[in-house]
């Protein structure tokens, strides 16, 4: 049976339905009891409003125009991957994947003396050496000299070199496609997609499914889907991240410079953080899944340990400077299954929240807010930072 990308009008519903089908086929359990326990927990009730506002998109840059800012946000979203290299990145410079990508984009923004590195022509120049220079990471490993005992030589290699190659490939490939399409930069393409999404609307709101469809069909680095055990699963994490980032940055402006997508109904942008944290918080249960039940060795927590994670406060036993724990390295299929489980779990959490009566605000939460809360609370508390997340390397999707 042949599978292809969903039609634009069915894109969001297909993300949800394919994620649920893959999750159920893998025998991953999500119980109403575990969801209610999270929603009524002290950590959720006391931190949700504060933490779900920590989107990380307030950029310390001076932009020449709204299109200039849109271009930066678009490239940040395009490069929003590398989570599988979190531990070597922290070892190198005490920053995780997202903070390293932000540093790279900031360096691209201010570092193109002769050529704007965030333009189409500039992206074509970003070879591996230039990306490593802008990221300020070491991509050499020391090996013994094959002929001279006691002498070592530096050779290109190691996990950070793998990451730099992935980043360079995405930037150059995107630049080539933009050049063929005669777009001066990625922001110009995204602005065109936003306008196309607004053609059939009577307001300045852009049809989010049309925008997503343009992103996914034009750029392979946004084409985040896979056949798992004969079943297609559609995640599109970075494309969803980008459309909501646009809504966050431009949606509150009374006369926005571009038509703004309505992201009130979009699913979560599933990476490795969301499913890992939902496993630890007892929402995603893997004990009945033959291929996944043993991947998180420390997820079988006692009731006291789970109660501690769900409490309002935690004992700050780990500093921000401590390197993160190395989590399980998964296959690509396993990673897609867990990410699909996170998409479905978050949909179920929102459905359950709508039925609760107290506090009043809980009935109105959205997947986008839940997404930010999960991603931000994972960094907000020392005990959460110490929880190992699963890793998948050699991917440009998360």
């Amino acid at each position: 049976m042949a599978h292809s990308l969903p039609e634009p009008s069915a894109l969001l519903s297909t993300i949800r339905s394919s994620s649920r089908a893959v999750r159920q086929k893998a025998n991953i359990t999500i119980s109403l009891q575990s969801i209610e326990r999270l929603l009524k927990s002290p950590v959720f009730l006391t931190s949700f409003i504060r933490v779900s506002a920590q989107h990380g998109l307030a950029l310390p840059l001076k932009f020449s125009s709204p299109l200039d800012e849109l271009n930066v946000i678009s490239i940040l979203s395009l490069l929003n991957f590398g989570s599988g290299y979190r531990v070597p990145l922290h070892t190198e410079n005490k920053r995780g994947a997202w903070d390293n990508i932000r540093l790279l984009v900031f360096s691209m923004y201010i570092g193109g003396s002769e050529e704007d590195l965030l333009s189409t022509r500039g992206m074509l120049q970003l070879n591996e050496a230039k990306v490593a220079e802008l990221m300020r990471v070491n991509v050499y490993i020391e090996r013994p000299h094959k002929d001279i005992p006691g002498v070592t030589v530096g050779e290109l290699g190691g996990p950070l070199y793998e990451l730099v190659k992935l980043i360079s490939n995405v930037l150059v490939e995107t630049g080539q496609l933009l050049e063929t399409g005669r777009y001066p930069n990625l922001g110009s393409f995204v602005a065109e997609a936003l306008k196309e999404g607004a053609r059939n609307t009577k307001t300045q709101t852009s049809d989010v499914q049309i925008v997503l469809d343009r992103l996914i069909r034009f750029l392979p680095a946004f084409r985040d889907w896979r056949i798992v055990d004969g079943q297609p699963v559609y995640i599109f994490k970075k494309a969803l991240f980008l459309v909501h980032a646009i809504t966050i940055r431009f949606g509150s402006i009374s006369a926005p410079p571009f038509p703004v997508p309505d992201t009130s109904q979009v699913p979560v942008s599933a990476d490795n953080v969301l499913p890992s944290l939902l496993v630890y918080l007892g929402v995603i249960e893997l004990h009945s899944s033959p291929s996944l039940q043993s991947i998180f060795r420390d997820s079988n927590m006692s009731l006291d340990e789970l109660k501690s994670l769900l409490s309002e406060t935690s004992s700050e036993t780990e500093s921000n400077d401590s390197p993160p724990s190395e989590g399980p390295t998964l296959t690509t299929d396993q990673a897609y299954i867990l990410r699909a489980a996170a998409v479905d779990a978050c949909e179920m959490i929102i459905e359950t929240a709508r039925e609760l009566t107290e506090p009043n605000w809980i009935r109105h939460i959205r997947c986008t807010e839940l997404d930010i809360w999960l991603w931000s609370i994972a960094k907000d508390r020392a005990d959460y930072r110490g929880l190992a997340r699963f890793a998948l390397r050699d991917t440009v999707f998360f």
Side-chain angles (χ1 to χ4, degrees):
M1 178 181 177
H3 298 285
S4 59
L5 294 173
E7 289 298 315
S9 61
L11 213 155
L12 297 182
S13 63
T14 303
I15 294 172
R16 296 187 184 94
S17 61
S18 69
S19 294
R20 175 159 294 185
V22 166
R23 191 267 297 176
Q24 291 176 335
K25 192 169 186 178
N27 290 319
I28 295 175
T29 305
I30 301 172
S31 68
L32 180 62
Q33 180 183 12
S34 66
I35 290 175
E36 289 184 344
R37 180 177 60 202
L38 173 63
L39 289 172
K40 296 176 181 179
S41 68
V43 64
F44 189 87
L45 294 174
T46 61
S47 70
F48 184 84
I49 293 176
R50 172 180 63 86
V51 175
S52 62
Q54 297 175 2
H55 48 70
L57 290 166
L59 307 177
L61 299 173
K62 184 176 181 179
F63 299 104
S64 60
S65 66
L67 181 61
D68 189 28
E69 183 173 7
L70 178 64
N71 188 48
V72 170
I73 290 172
S74 300
I75 293 179
L76 268 173
S77 303
L78 179 80
L79 298 180
N80 189 3
F81 62 90
S83 61
Y85 301 89
R86 177 179 180 236
V87 172
L89 284 169
H90 267 279
T91 302
E92 173 80 6
N93 56 31
K94 293 183 170 58
R95 287 187 293 266
W98 170 244
D99 288 334
N100 272 280
I101 293 300
R102 278 167 54 100
L103 173 64
L104 168 62
V105 175
F106 293 169
S107 298
M108 290 167 64
Y109 189 79
I110 64 177
S113 55
E114 298 180 0
E115 184 75 63
D116 175 7
L117 296 178
L118 294 174
S119 69
T120 295
R121 290 180 58 187
M123 292 167 76
L124 292 171
Q125 300 176 20
L126 289 166
N127 56 29
E128 295 159 10
K130 187 63 176 178
V131 170
E133 175 192 335
L134 292 167
M135 287 185 72
R136 306 171 199 171
V137 295
N138 178 25
V139 292
Y140 288 88
I141 54 176
E142 297 294 323
R143 297 190 186 278
H145 194 287
K146 62 180 180 179
D147 297 322
I148 307 175
V151 175
T152 60
V153 292
E155 295 181 356
L156 286 170
L160 296 186
Y161 180 53
E162 294 174 14
L163 176 59
V164 163
K165 286 196 294 183
L166 290 173
I167 292 170
S168 175
N169 289 342
V170 166
L171 287 168
V172 172
E173 176 188 61
T174 301
Q176 290 170 342
L177 290 167
L178 292 170
E179 185 177 52
T180 300
R182 298 186 177 182
Y183 297 102
N185 53 42
L186 180 56
S188 297
F189 166 74
V190 174
E192 181 181 276
L194 293 170
K195 292 173 184 175
E196 183 175 335
R199 282 180 190 152
N200 296 322
T201 66
K202 296 180 180 180
T203 66
Q204 270 292 293
T205 300
S206 186
D207 185 328
V208 69
Q209 295 191 116
I210 291 177
V211 180
L212 287 168
D213 183 71
R214 283 294 310 274
L215 294 173
I216 293 159
R217 292 184 189 275
F218 185 66
L219 296 172
F222 282 123
R223 214 168 292 155
D224 179 11
W225 73 287
R226 184 176 176 85
I227 303 293
V228 178
D229 196 17
Q231 183 87 31
V233 58
Y234 303 94
I235 304 292
F236 303 135
K237 178 254 180 182
K238 295 192 304 183
L240 288 167
F241 179 91
L242 173 53
V243 294
H244 191 54
I246 293 168
T247 302
I248 288 173
R249 296 301 296 150
F250 300 108
S252 60
I253 300 174
S254 58
F258 322 100
V260 175
D262 178 3
T263 57
S264 61
Q265 304 301 317
V266 301
V268 294
S269 306
D271 55 4
N272 67 328
V273 177
L274 271 61
S276 298
L277 195 58
L278 287 168
V279 167
Y280 290 117
L281 296 177
V283 174
I284 294 177
E285 301 169 17
L286 304 177
H287 58 272
S288 299
S289 179
S291 64
L292 295 166
Q293 58 185 346
S294 61
I295 61 170
F296 285 99
R297 291 188 300 272
D298 53 350
S299 66
N300 296 319
M301 297 184 175
S302 67
L303 288 177
D304 285 342
E305 289 172 317
L306 181 57
K307 184 178 180 181
S308 175
L309 288 178
L310 295 174
S311 67
E312 181 176 352
T313 58
S314 67
S315 55
E316 296 290 311
T317 58
E318 185 183 7
S319 71
N320 282 321
D321 292 332
S322 300
S325 302
E326 187 80 69
T329 299
L330 304 191
T331 66
T332 303
D333 281 1
Q334 287 175 322
Y336 266 96
I337 292 169
L338 271 177
R339 294 167 71 211
V343 171
D344 196 31
C346 289
E347 294 292 330
M348 295 173 68
I349 289 170
I350 296 300
E351 290 170 8
T352 304
R354 292 195 185 111
E355 302 300 320
L356 299 180
T357 57
E358 293 182 0
N360 182 62
W361 57 262
I362 205 168
R363 290 176 291 170
H364 306 288
I365 65 174
R366 296 172 175 175
C367 270
T368 50
E369 296 166 329
L370 179 61
D371 186 337
I372 295 173
W373 179 79
L374 285 165
W375 193 83
S376 298
I377 199 71
K379 302 169 70 173
D380 193 67
R381 289 174 49 154
D383 53 347
Y384 284 20
R385 291 194 301 272
L387 298 172
R389 306 165 185 177
F390 81 75
L392 177 69
R393 294 186 179 178
D394 196 25
T395 180
V396 300
F397 294 132
F398 69 95

